[in-house]
């Protein structure tokens, strides 16, 4: 099979490469592992896998930012990669599609499905994991491995060793080893590979999994069973299948693609889930009552109007949606936590010119859609996080911190808190300046 031609979609100011094979609808958007769209098709068995997946549908394969044939900006995150998937679907006019995420790309697929249930018919996650490290010791070890890997990246002996570890079934196949070496050299540079790995070790999507409400299939080999089972347990009603094989390649044999085909052939879900993953932002003016008394009703009303104009301008800038306004506070929703943080920081800075000070709280979680508004526990958590913030502080939940890995945003640990009316203890973090 010839390598399919490559097209580009615009995701903001970033060019995202994608390929289209077959005709649809139905459609299947495929997010492969760390890859290059050209050399991917030269991998052992991948052309047959692509042909199988495109037999009954239009297959769209996406190179997210930072790797392969797409632009390689600095500081990519899961949120920006979700934007890339949306940009490709919008470019092709795809309203709803099945979604397949492989290995490291499964996290992007999971977050996209949780936040855009109206655009995902079915979700397949192959060899996924929730997080790479569980404590600081493991993180330090992983960072040391990244430093070593960046030094050795591109060396044939280093990449051949990795090739044998990932797919021992082809350990003596020189054609596979040659492909693996050149594929990875052409996929990412030493710096972009190291940046990607740093994002991975700080990423944790476990808080997102319960918000996935579309039919989901999780597939793994035996060696990835534990990590994949954790993902499957986190997604209500998901199917979990362990298929034969000793390597990480989906195309090692026919079992994985057959499981995916059977699942994708199921009846299309007709009802759009009434819950969605969303990031909520609450802002509140500090000392507003005292300031109102000091200024008097007319002057305070004028100042409040200026404050509202600042907040609404920043919400529009960062694609936030105003849900409600009560007195001197705002409740808004975003489709990504990094944008919410940037918006909150800019609001904080902008209102200081008015002689005002705000506190803000941000949380990402599953929300119920009530008409044009959202409600539910995640909204209550966001409001309580805001209430726990100090004057001038942007406070976030641990879920938000985990989802912005790779953004360069720094946090200060504020410890665990009990949030009124919300079960359990919550670890909170202040956004650094």
């Amino acid at each position: 099979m010839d390598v399919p031609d490559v097209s580009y979609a615009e995701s903001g100011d970033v060019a995202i490469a994608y390929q289209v094979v077959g005709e649809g609808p139905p459609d299947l958007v495929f997010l492969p592992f760390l890859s290059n769209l050209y050399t991917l098709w030269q991998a052992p068995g991948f052309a047959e896998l692509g042909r199988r997946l495109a037999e009954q549908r239009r297959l769209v394969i996406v190179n997210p930012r930072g790797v392969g044939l797409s632009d390689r900006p600095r500081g990519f995150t899961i949120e920006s990669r979700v934007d890339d998937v949306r940009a490709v679907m919008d470019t092709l006019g795809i309203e709803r599609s099945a979604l397949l995420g492989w290995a490291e790309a499964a996290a992007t697929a999971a977050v996209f499905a949780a936040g855009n249930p109206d655009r995902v018919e079915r979700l397949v996650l192959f060899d996924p994991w929730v997080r790479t490290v569980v404590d600081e010791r493991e993180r330090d070890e992983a960072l040391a491995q990244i430093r070593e890997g960046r030094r050795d990246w591109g060396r044939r002996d280093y990449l051949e060793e990795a090739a044998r570890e990932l797919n021992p079934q082809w350990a003596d196949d020189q054609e596979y080893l040659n492909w693996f070496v050149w594929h990875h050299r052409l996929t990412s540079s030493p710096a972009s590979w190291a940046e990607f790995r740093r994002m991975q070790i700080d990423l944790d999507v476990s808080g997102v999994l319960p918000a996935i409400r579309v039919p989901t299939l999780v597939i793994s080999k035996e060696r990835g069973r534990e990590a994949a089972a954790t993902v499957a347990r986190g997604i209500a009603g998901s199917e979990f299948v362990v298929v034969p094989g000793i390597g990480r390649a989906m195309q090692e044999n026919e079992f994985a693609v057959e499981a995916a085909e059977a699942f994708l052939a199921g009846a299309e879900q007709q009802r759009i889930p009434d819950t969605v993953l969303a990031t909520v932002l609450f802002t509140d003016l500090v000392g507003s009552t005292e300031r109102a008394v000091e200024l008097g009703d007319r002057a305070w009303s004028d100042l409040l109007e200026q404050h509202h104009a600042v907040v609404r301008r920043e919400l529009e800038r960062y694609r936030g949606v105003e849900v409600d306004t009560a007195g001197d506070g705002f409740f808004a929703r975003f489709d990504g936590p990094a944008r919410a943080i940037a918006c909150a920081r800019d609001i904080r800075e902008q209102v200081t010119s008015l002689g005002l000070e705000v506190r803000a709280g941000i949380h990402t979680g599953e929300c119920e859609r009530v008409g044009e508004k959202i409600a539910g526990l995640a909204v209550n958590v966001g409001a309580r996080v805001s209430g726990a913030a100090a004057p001038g502080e942007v406070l976030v939940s641990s879920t938000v911190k985990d989802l912005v890995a790779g953004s360069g945003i720094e946090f200060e640990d504020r410890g665990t808190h009990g949030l009124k009316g919300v079960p359990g203890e919550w670890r909170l973090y202040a956004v650094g300046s």
Side-chain angles (χ1 to χ4, degrees), residues 9-33:
E10 293 184 1
S11 180
D13 58 356
V14 179
I16 304 302
Y18 67 91
Q19 295 169 319
V20 176
V21 186
E23 297 181 358
D27 295 298
L28 172 62
V29 175
F30 181 15
L31 311 181
F33 56 88

Side-chain angles (χ1 to χ4, degrees), residues 147-222:
R147 289 191 292 270
E148 179 182 344
R150 177 172 179 173
R151 182 193 66 215
D152 296 335
W153 184 256
R155 276 178 33 191
R156 175 168 287 275
D157 58 342
Y158 176 83
L159 289 175
E160 284 192 357
E161 182 181 353
R164 293 186 177 97
E165 193 282 326
L166 287 171
N167 287 295
Q169 73 276 15
W170 297 323
D172 298 322
D173 184 339
Q174 193 59 48
E175 184 178 349
Y176 160 69
L177 296 177
N178 288 336
W179 167 82
F180 189 95
V181 170
W182 282 105
H183 173 74
H184 284 80
R185 286 171 176 169
L186 293 169
T187 291
S188 57
S189 67
S192 61
W193 173 84
E195 184 176 9
F196 171 76
R197 288 288 291 119
R198 281 193 292 269
M199 179 192 75
Q200 276 190 311
I201 66 173
D202 288 329
L203 181 68
D204 183 354
V205 297
S206 57
V208 169
L209 301 179
I212 297 175
R213 298 294 183 176
V214 301
T216 301
L217 171 66
V218 178
I219 308 173
S220 82
K221 309 282 184 67
E222 185 60 43

